[in-house]
Amino acid sequence: MLSAGRYAELSTALADRGHALLTSPERYRTAHKLPGWYDVFAPLTPHSAWLPLAPGGAVDPEELARLAERLGGAGPAVVKDWVKSRKHEWSEACYVPDLADTARLASVVARFVQLQGAYLTGGVVLRAYEPYRPVGEARVWWLDGEPALIGPHPDTPGLTPDPDLSEVASAVRQLACRFITTDLALHEDGRWRVVEAGDAQVSGLPRTTEAKPLFTALTTAAAR
Protein backbone atom coordinates (compact mmCIF):
# COMPACT_ATOMS: atom_id res chain seq x y z
CA MET A 1 0.00 0.00 0.00
CA LEU A 2 1.76 3.15 -1.21
CA SER A 3 1.73 6.19 1.02
CA ALA A 4 0.44 9.41 -0.54
CA GLY A 5 4.01 10.74 -0.65
CA ARG A 6 5.37 7.68 -2.45
CA TYR A 7 2.46 7.78 -4.87
CA ALA A 8 3.33 11.38 -5.73
CA GLU A 9 6.93 10.28 -6.39
CA LEU A 10 5.64 7.54 -8.69
CA SER A 11 3.52 10.08 -10.57
CA THR A 12 6.55 12.36 -11.04
CA ALA A 13 8.75 9.50 -12.22
CA LEU A 14 6.17 8.43 -14.79
CA ALA A 15 5.60 12.02 -15.96
CA ASP A 16 9.36 12.33 -16.58
CA ARG A 17 8.98 9.36 -18.91
CA GLY A 18 5.98 10.78 -20.75
CA HIS A 19 3.22 8.91 -18.91
CA ALA A 20 0.34 10.03 -16.69
CA LEU A 21 -1.53 8.12 -14.01
CA LEU A 22 -5.31 7.98 -14.42
CA THR A 23 -5.56 8.89 -10.72
CA SER A 24 -3.66 12.05 -9.82
CA PRO A 25 -1.70 12.29 -6.55
CA GLU A 26 -4.31 14.73 -5.23
CA ARG A 27 -7.19 12.33 -5.97
CA TYR A 28 -5.21 9.42 -4.53
CA ARG A 29 -4.72 11.32 -1.28
CA THR A 30 -8.42 12.25 -1.18
CA ALA A 31 -9.59 8.64 -1.43
CA HIS A 32 -6.74 7.09 0.57
CA LYS A 33 -7.02 9.16 3.76
CA LEU A 34 -10.18 9.49 5.84
CA PRO A 35 -10.08 13.31 6.16
CA GLY A 36 -10.16 13.51 2.36
CA TRP A 37 -13.38 11.55 1.88
CA TYR A 38 -15.16 11.93 5.21
CA ASP A 39 -17.15 15.13 4.57
CA VAL A 40 -18.71 13.74 1.40
CA PHE A 41 -19.66 10.44 3.07
CA ALA A 42 -20.54 11.93 6.48
CA PRO A 43 -24.29 11.13 6.29
CA LEU A 44 -23.48 7.51 5.35
CA THR A 45 -20.59 6.65 7.67
CA PRO A 46 -19.99 6.58 11.45
CA HIS A 47 -19.46 9.97 13.08
CA SER A 48 -15.71 10.61 13.28
CA ALA A 49 -13.14 13.02 14.68
CA TRP A 50 -9.38 13.02 14.27
CA LEU A 51 -6.17 14.41 15.62
CA PRO A 52 -2.92 14.76 13.61
CA LEU A 53 -0.05 12.77 15.07
CA ALA A 54 3.38 11.75 13.78
CA PRO A 55 4.56 8.12 14.10
CA GLY A 56 5.84 7.46 17.60
CA GLY A 57 4.15 10.54 18.98
CA ALA A 58 2.43 10.73 22.34
CA VAL A 59 -1.18 11.83 22.72
CA ASP A 60 -2.16 14.01 25.66
CA PRO A 61 -5.08 12.31 27.52
CA GLU A 62 -6.79 15.67 27.94
CA GLU A 63 -6.53 16.29 24.20
CA LEU A 64 -8.02 12.85 23.60
CA ALA A 65 -10.89 13.65 25.95
CA ARG A 66 -11.60 16.81 23.98
CA LEU A 67 -11.53 14.75 20.78
CA ALA A 68 -14.04 12.33 22.32
CA GLU A 69 -16.33 15.24 23.15
CA ARG A 70 -16.71 15.83 19.42
CA LEU A 71 -18.41 12.42 19.33
CA GLY A 72 -20.61 13.23 22.30
CA GLY A 73 -18.12 12.21 24.98
CA ALA A 74 -19.75 8.84 25.69
CA GLY A 75 -20.66 5.57 24.05
CA PRO A 76 -18.52 3.00 22.22
CA ALA A 77 -16.01 3.90 19.52
CA VAL A 78 -13.21 2.45 17.45
CA VAL A 79 -9.67 3.79 17.03
CA LYS A 80 -7.76 3.92 13.74
CA ASP A 81 -5.43 6.20 11.81
CA TRP A 82 -6.27 7.98 8.57
CA VAL A 83 -5.94 4.73 6.60
CA LYS A 84 -5.90 1.59 8.76
CA SER A 85 -7.16 0.13 12.02
CA ARG A 86 -5.84 -2.65 14.26
CA LYS A 87 -9.12 -4.59 14.24
CA HIS A 88 -7.30 -7.89 14.75
CA GLU A 89 -6.16 -6.49 18.12
CA TRP A 90 -9.74 -5.49 18.85
CA SER A 91 -9.74 -5.25 22.62
CA GLU A 92 -6.30 -3.77 23.16
CA ALA A 93 -5.82 -1.40 20.22
CA CYS A 94 -9.13 -0.77 18.47
CA TYR A 95 -12.35 -0.86 20.52
CA VAL A 96 -13.24 1.58 23.30
CA PRO A 97 -16.38 0.42 25.17
CA ASP A 98 -17.19 3.91 26.45
CA LEU A 99 -15.54 7.20 25.50
CA ALA A 100 -16.44 8.53 28.95
CA ASP A 101 -13.78 6.18 30.34
CA THR A 102 -10.90 8.47 29.44
CA ALA A 103 -8.28 6.20 31.02
CA ARG A 104 -9.37 3.27 28.84
CA LEU A 105 -9.49 5.54 25.80
CA ALA A 106 -5.93 6.73 26.40
CA SER A 107 -4.73 3.15 26.90
CA VAL A 108 -6.28 1.88 23.63
CA VAL A 109 -4.95 4.85 21.65
CA ALA A 110 -1.45 4.49 23.12
CA ARG A 111 -1.38 0.79 22.24
CA PHE A 112 -2.67 1.50 18.75
CA VAL A 113 0.04 4.09 18.13
CA GLN A 114 2.66 1.71 19.51
CA LEU A 115 1.59 -1.17 17.25
CA GLN A 116 1.32 1.01 14.16
CA GLY A 117 4.85 2.27 14.74
CA ALA A 118 6.37 3.85 11.63
CA TYR A 119 3.23 2.96 9.66
CA LEU A 120 0.98 5.35 11.57
CA THR A 121 -0.61 7.49 8.86
CA GLY A 122 -1.86 11.02 9.49
CA GLY A 123 -2.88 10.69 13.09
CA VAL A 124 -5.53 9.20 15.38
CA VAL A 125 -9.18 8.85 14.38
CA LEU A 126 -12.12 8.09 16.67
CA ARG A 127 -15.17 6.63 14.96
CA ALA A 128 -18.49 6.00 16.67
CA TYR A 129 -19.17 2.28 16.95
CA GLU A 130 -22.19 1.04 15.00
CA PRO A 131 -23.83 -2.42 15.29
CA TYR A 132 -24.07 -4.30 11.98
CA ARG A 133 -25.94 -7.41 10.95
CA PRO A 134 -23.71 -10.50 10.49
CA VAL A 135 -24.20 -10.69 6.72
CA GLY A 136 -20.65 -9.69 5.81
CA GLU A 137 -19.32 -6.53 4.19
CA ALA A 138 -19.54 -5.77 0.49
CA ARG A 139 -16.60 -4.17 -1.30
CA VAL A 140 -17.72 -2.04 -4.25
CA TRP A 141 -15.20 -0.97 -6.89
CA TRP A 142 -16.18 2.33 -8.51
CA LEU A 143 -14.78 3.57 -11.80
CA ASP A 144 -15.70 7.06 -13.00
CA GLY A 145 -18.69 7.13 -10.65
CA GLU A 146 -20.15 3.76 -11.67
CA PRO A 147 -19.90 0.40 -9.86
CA ALA A 148 -17.50 -1.74 -11.89
CA LEU A 149 -17.55 -4.71 -9.50
CA ILE A 150 -19.47 -5.68 -6.35
CA GLY A 151 -17.97 -8.46 -4.28
CA PRO A 152 -17.23 -9.63 -0.75
CA HIS A 153 -14.78 -8.00 1.58
CA PRO A 154 -11.43 -9.83 1.70
CA ASP A 155 -11.97 -10.60 5.40
CA THR A 156 -15.23 -12.46 4.67
CA PRO A 157 -14.86 -13.88 1.15
CA GLY A 158 -17.61 -16.44 1.71
CA LEU A 159 -20.28 -13.82 2.43
CA THR A 160 -21.77 -11.96 -0.54
CA PRO A 161 -24.33 -9.35 0.56
CA ASP A 162 -26.24 -7.36 -2.05
CA PRO A 163 -26.05 -3.70 -0.96
CA ASP A 164 -28.33 -0.85 -1.95
CA LEU A 165 -26.01 1.60 -3.76
CA SER A 166 -28.39 4.46 -4.46
CA GLU A 167 -27.18 6.86 -1.76
CA VAL A 168 -23.57 5.72 -1.95
CA ALA A 169 -23.42 6.29 -5.71
CA SER A 170 -24.37 9.93 -5.30
CA ALA A 171 -21.60 10.47 -2.74
CA VAL A 172 -19.01 8.66 -4.88
CA ARG A 173 -19.77 10.93 -7.84
CA GLN A 174 -19.52 13.99 -5.61
CA LEU A 175 -16.10 12.87 -4.40
CA ALA A 176 -14.92 12.89 -8.04
CA CYS A 177 -12.16 10.29 -7.68
CA ARG A 178 -11.84 8.07 -10.74
CA PHE A 179 -11.15 4.71 -9.10
CA ILE A 180 -12.16 4.03 -5.48
CA THR A 181 -13.62 1.35 -3.25
CA THR A 182 -16.30 1.53 -0.59
CA ASP A 183 -16.79 -1.14 2.06
CA LEU A 184 -20.45 -1.38 3.00
CA ALA A 185 -22.09 -3.04 6.02
CA LEU A 186 -25.76 -3.47 6.89
CA HIS A 187 -26.68 -1.60 10.06
CA GLU A 188 -29.04 -3.29 12.48
CA ASP A 189 -31.66 -0.68 11.52
CA GLY A 190 -31.52 -1.78 7.85
CA ARG A 191 -29.37 1.05 6.44
CA TRP A 192 -26.31 0.33 4.34
CA ARG A 193 -23.35 2.17 5.86
CA VAL A 194 -19.92 3.08 4.49
CA VAL A 195 -17.47 1.43 6.89
CA GLU A 196 -14.45 2.53 4.85
CA ALA A 197 -13.54 4.19 1.56
CA GLY A 198 -10.19 4.02 -0.17
CA ASP A 199 -8.24 4.32 -3.38
CA ALA A 200 -9.01 1.17 -5.35
CA GLN A 201 -5.44 0.75 -6.59
CA VAL A 202 -4.37 -0.39 -3.12
CA SER A 203 -7.56 -2.22 -2.10
CA GLY A 204 -7.49 -5.99 -1.76
CA LEU A 205 -9.51 -8.20 -4.09
CA PRO A 206 -10.46 -11.63 -2.68
CA ARG A 207 -8.95 -14.52 -4.60
CA THR A 208 -12.41 -16.02 -4.93
CA THR A 209 -13.75 -12.97 -6.80
CA GLU A 210 -13.79 -12.99 -10.60
CA ALA A 211 -11.60 -10.02 -11.55
CA LYS A 212 -12.24 -9.94 -15.30
CA PRO A 213 -15.16 -7.42 -15.19
CA LEU A 214 -13.02 -5.03 -13.17
CA PHE A 215 -9.99 -5.20 -15.44
CA THR A 216 -12.15 -4.98 -18.54
CA ALA A 217 -13.63 -1.75 -17.19
CA LEU A 218 -10.14 -0.43 -16.39
CA THR A 219 -8.70 -1.14 -19.83
CA THR A 220 -11.74 0.50 -21.42
CA ALA A 221 -11.29 3.60 -19.25
CA ALA A 222 -7.59 3.73 -20.12
CA ALA A 223 -8.42 3.56 -23.81
CA ARG A 224 -10.77 6.51 -23.42
Side-chain angles (χ1 to χ4, degrees):
M1 181 177 286
L2 284 178
S3 68
R6 291 291 286 168
Y7 187 87
E9 292 174 9
L10 172 63
S11 179
T12 298
L14 289 172
D16 290 344
R17 292 159 175 79
H19 300 282
L21 291 165
L22 295 181
T23 297
S24 70
E26 293 75 22
R27 294 291 89 190
Y28 179 83
R29 186 166 53 250
T30 293
H32 187 56
K33 297 183 177 182
L34 183 142
W37 56 261
Y38 177 77
D39 285 348
V40 169
F41 285 102
L44 307 173
T45 198
H47 186 34
S48 304
W50 52 87
L51 181 70
L53 184 70
V59 180
D60 182 346
E62 292 186 3
E63 199 169 17
L64 267 182
R66 288 193 294 271
L67 189 68
E69 285 296 329
R70 293 167 56 186
L71 270 65
V78 295
V79 175
K80 64 187 300 292
D81 65 17
W82 292 6
V83 176
K84 300 289 286 184
S85 71
R86 305 287 308 192
K87 60 186 176 184
H88 299 299
E89 292 93 11
W90 180 255
S91 296
E92 62 174 315
C94 186
Y95 180 65
V96 180
D98 188 357
L99 289 172
D101 184 350
T102 54
R104 175 64 177 162
L105 171 62
S107 173
V108 171
V109 170
R111 182 59 172 155
F112 170 78
V113 171
Q114 179 188 36
L115 290 174
Q116 285 295 87
Y119 295 102
L120 182 76
T121 301
V124 170
V125 178
L126 299 182
R127 279 168 71 72
Y129 173 81
E130 294 186 346
Y132 300 124
R133 297 181 187 177
V135 297
E137 291 182 25
R139 175 159 287 181
V140 185
W141 304 73
W142 301 86
L143 181 59
D144 292 333
E146 298 296 331
L149 180 68
I150 304 171
H153 190 278
D155 289 349
T156 53
L159 299 176
T160 55
D162 183 22
D164 177 3
L165 300 182
S166 53
E167 290 186 292
V168 182
S170 177
V172 167
R173 291 167 191 143
Q174 184 180 345
L175 192 67
C177 292
R178 294 202 67 182
F179 189 39
I180 72 167
T181 53
T182 54
D183 294 338
L184 308 179
L186 186 60
H187 196 284
E188 285 185 351
D189 64 11
R191 295 175 297 157
W192 283 98
R193 303 287 283 165
V194 177
V195 177
E196 195 71 73
D199 184 89
Q201 297 171 99
V202 292
S203 297
L205 184 69
R207 293 179 181 274
T208 54
T209 300
E210 172 56 58
K212 185 175 180 179
L214 178 61
F215 285 97
T216 299
L218 283 169
T219 54
T220 301
R224 290 199 302 267

